[in-house]
Amino acid sequence: MQFSKEIIKGVAEIIVLQTLHEHGEAYGYQLTRAIAQTSQNIFELQEGTLYPLLYRLEFKNLVTSQVKPAPNGKDRRYYHITNKGKKLLLERTTELGILLKGIKQVLHLAI
Amino acid sequence: MKSTFFETLSRNLNHSKYSERLQEELAAHIEDAVLDLAWEGIQPEQATQQAIQTLGDPKVIAREYNTMLKQQSPYINIITLILITLFTTVIFKFLPIIISIVAGNTIGDNPKYPLFTISWLAIPITAVIFLLFFLLVLPSLYQWLHQSKQRLIIYVSILGLPSLLTLRTIGKILLNAYFDHWQIIKPWNLVLVTELIIPMFIIIIMGLCIWLVIGLIKQEEKHLLKIKNDSMLPTTYLGSSCLIYVIVSYILYFYHVKLFILPRSILSGLICSIRALLHNYNCSQTVIIYGELTLVVLLLFSSSLVLLNYYRKRFIKKIINEQLPWFMLIIFIYIILLLFT
């Protein structure tokens, strides 16, 4: 499903952080597969834009990265969530939960 | 298709060390996706095509990436720049003097101000450290800043000032050693205040004022000014400030008003001292003016790049990539001619 850009931008960082938190570590391609799988293909991101997003998270010290061999033997850059990232993830998840609850009530959604 | 994708991406990216990393990671992404699709029985060519399609439009990726670069915290950059400026200033301003004190073997002894006697050893050592710093340390620091298009400004306008002030000091010391009529050098604490702290203070204050004024104007008259880039960097303000400072200083100098501390005799000081060593030649005013004009041209060139940067990004990229080496070569030949003719 295609969402508007504004909605995607707001939640993309949280989704990436959450996926990294669940998987411990992942490289770009793994992340896109994991997000697609977990969200049951609801989030059809342009996969290429994931990398600038990861760099932004890295600049903010929310994730770190390290190049090491993947199971196929080739070098891949693995991303890890930092403690700062975990803290932010918790805050944003709580905020998002409250927001969703509010939206649900206002729009009388049955989700 | 793959090469077209990367060509389009590369053309639209603001280059930095992260742009190379982005391209590497995208290539790895395609490779992994193709392998996965091959497992599903899709032919390699079709799989590559499909993998590239899922990555999305390269222009959109480049835009996201460029936006990400612009959103870097300006505070990190400004603090880093101040630290680098202070570091280079301290190192290159006082290194020759420190080496001289340690070496003890001095020329041009000045009993009144012993700190300003200098060893022959100090000149080559400082020159080597100076070169190493510019070739090895600065690019790394610069990469940390992640601002490729600001490279010239960082080098010329910000870091250039303290470094050139150092050359000036060396030039002055050498000239003082050889020519009695050269102006009497000042005690070190006065030099520190008048040639370093005050100019830097003025430049930083001016930079902040420009930042504030342009920020306010941008808010009010954004469309009128046709400013396309919202995130002007602190380096730009400091660079512009440095340029204005130099221009105002020169104007005042030519009217014999020495209100500002004049960052003059920097290149000319060096050129004169080398000429003096080579030809036993007394520096004429003409040579000094030529040397200073070179500096002004360099500063004007770098600042015009900054100003144009807001309006014609690609044009600037083209200049930096294609024209800059030629420009630098001309400047180099010009300096060499000044030295040997």
Side-chain angles (χ1 to χ4, degrees):
Chain A
M1 189 176 174
Q2 289 285 349
F3 291 99
S4 73
K5 224 175 153 187
E6 285 69 28
I7 291 176
I8 285 290
K9 263 193 175 174
V11 294
E13 285 190 7
I14 305 170
I15 291 169
V16 169
L17 287 174
Q18 176 63 31
T19 313
L20 282 175
H21 186 48
E22 280 172 17
H23 286 74
E25 62 173 13
Y27 55 88
Y29 183 71
Q30 280 184 330
L31 259 176
T32 55
R33 295 282 74 81
I35 292 169
Q37 204 179 350
T38 319
S39 72
Q40 294 170 336
N41 290 321
I42 287 175
F43 292 108
E44 287 175 13
L45 297 168
Q46 285 203 349
E47 293 180 3
T49 57
L50 173 79
Y51 295 95
L53 172 69
L54 283 167
Y55 302 161
R56 189 181 293 129
L57 294 175
E58 200 172 336
F59 286 138
K60 291 180 188 169
N61 287 326
L62 301 173
V63 302
T64 54
S65 72
Q66 187 191 3
V67 177
K68 60 181 189 179
N72 62 10
K74 294 187 175 173
D75 280 351
R76 294 288 180 261
R77 185 172 287 276
Y78 280 85
Y79 291 88
H80 314 255
I81 187 166
T82 61
N83 286 335
K84 193 180 168 190
K86 284 175 191 169
K87 199 178 157 196
L88 187 94
L89 176 65
L90 186 68
E91 284 170 17
R92 292 284 181 273
T93 314
T94 315
E95 273 176 30
L96 199 63
I98 296 166
L99 182 70
L100 284 174
K101 197 178 164 188
I103 291 170
K104 199 174 142 184
Q105 281 171 354
V106 171
L107 299 180
H108 308 292
L109 295 173
I111 48 168
Chain B
M1 192 180 179
K2 195 175 170 182
S3 60
T4 317
F5 175 88
F6 282 103
E7 273 168 27
T8 315
L9 182 74
S10 178
R11 212 172 33 247
N12 289 286
L13 281 176
N14 284 339
H15 288 272
S16 76
K17 75 167 184 180
Y18 275 85
S19 59
E20 282 168 28
R21 181 171 144 184
L22 175 69
Q23 291 180 63
E24 279 170 17
E25 285 194 281
L26 289 174
H29 190 107
I30 293 170
E31 202 178 278
D32 291 337
V34 168
L35 275 175
D36 268 5
L37 291 166
W39 274 103
E40 293 170 18
I42 298 169
Q43 291 299 310
E45 277 179 25
Q46 205 187 337
T48 309
Q49 202 174 343
Q50 209 172 314
I52 291 169
Q53 270 171 0
T54 54
L55 277 180
D57 185 351
K59 283 182 186 168
V60 175
I61 300 171
R63 198 170 56 228
E64 287 289 317
Y65 173 82
N66 295 339
T67 313
M68 180 272 303
L69 273 187
K70 281 180 200 163
Q71 285 171 346
Q72 295 315 301
S73 167
Y75 302 108
I76 294 172
N77 290 338
I78 199 162
I79 290 166
T80 314
L81 279 170
I82 290 169
L83 285 175
I84 295 171
T85 309
L86 286 174
F87 177 74
T88 46
T89 304
V90 170
I91 291 290
F92 294 117
K93 186 85 186 173
F94 297 109
L95 195 66
I97 297 164
I98 294 164
I99 296 169
S100 299
I101 292 166
V102 174
N105 176 23
T106 57
I107 55 163
D109 281 341
N110 189 331
K112 201 172 175 186
Y113 307 115
L115 267 179
F116 276 90
T117 55
I118 193 161
S119 162
W120 278 112
L121 201 61
I123 305 291
I125 292 176
T126 311
V128 168
I129 296 174
F130 187 82
L131 274 173
L132 284 176
F133 185 80
F134 267 80
L135 293 173
L136 302 174
V137 181
L138 275 190
S140 312
L141 286 170
Y142 154 73
Q143 279 193 337
W144 187 56
L145 288 168
H146 311 300
Q147 307 291 349
S148 60
K149 60 186 173 181
Q150 299 296 327
R151 185 192 303 247
L152 200 66
I153 305 312
I154 293 169
Y155 271 63
V156 178
S157 302
I158 307 297
L159 297 167
L161 185 71
S163 312
L164 291 173
L165 280 171
T166 310
L167 293 181
R168 180 191 177 188
T169 309
I170 295 172
K172 275 172 73 177
I173 290 165
L174 280 173
L175 285 165
N176 190 57
Y178 277 90
F179 304 112
D180 291 338
H181 67 269
W182 195 257
Q183 66 181 86
I184 296 165
I185 48 177
K186 292 167 274 186
W188 70 272
N189 51 355
L190 190 63
V191 172
L192 185 75
V193 172
T194 58
E195 296 188 12
L196 214 64
I197 294 173
I198 293 177
M200 279 191 184
F201 183 73
I202 294 170
I203 286 167
I204 289 168
I205 294 293
M206 279 173 67
L208 289 172
C209 291
I210 297 168
W211 193 349
L212 187 71
V213 169
I214 292 181
L216 290 172
I217 294 170
K218 266 165 72 183
Q219 274 187 344
E220 296 297 321
E221 306 288 345
K222 199 172 175 180
H223 298 295
L224 190 70
L225 283 173
K226 291 177 185 169
I227 292 170
K228 290 173 187 171
N229 189 344
D230 282 346
S231 55
M232 286 172 81
L233 293 163
T235 49
T236 310
Y237 295 102
L238 283 172
S240 318
S241 167
C242 187
L243 178 81
I244 292 169
Y245 175 77
V246 171
I247 290 171
V248 172
S249 298
Y250 271 86
I251 292 167
L252 290 172
Y253 174 69
F254 284 115
Y255 284 98
H256 305 285
V257 182
K258 293 184 180 178
L259 289 177
F260 282 153
I261 311 303
L262 192 68
R264 70 181 184 88
S265 302
I266 297 161
L267 269 176
S268 55
L270 187 75
I271 289 169
C272 279
S273 54
I274 297 170
R275 278 177 68 98
L277 288 171
L278 287 173
H279 305 296
N280 192 22
Y281 177 79
N282 194 348
C283 278
S284 68
Q285 194 65 26
T286 321
V287 176
I288 293 172
I289 289 168
Y290 280 145
E292 285 168 8
L293 280 175
T294 315
L295 182 67
V296 171
V297 169
L298 277 169
L299 284 164
L300 277 173
F301 178 74
S302 61
S303 303
S304 58
L305 283 185
V306 177
L307 295 172
L308 283 168
N309 188 31
Y310 296 112
Y311 300 98
R312 294 176 187 276
K313 263 187 184 175
R314 284 187 187 173
F315 170 67
I316 292 304
K317 255 189 203 172
K318 202 176 169 187
I319 286 184
I320 290 172
N321 292 337
E322 295 170 15
Q323 307 301 328
L324 191 62
W326 293 107
F327 179 79
M328 296 313 287
L329 184 69
I330 290 166
I331 294 289
F332 179 72
I333 293 168
Y334 178 72
I335 292 172
I336 295 292
L337 283 173
L338 274 178
L339 285 175
F340 293 100
T341 55

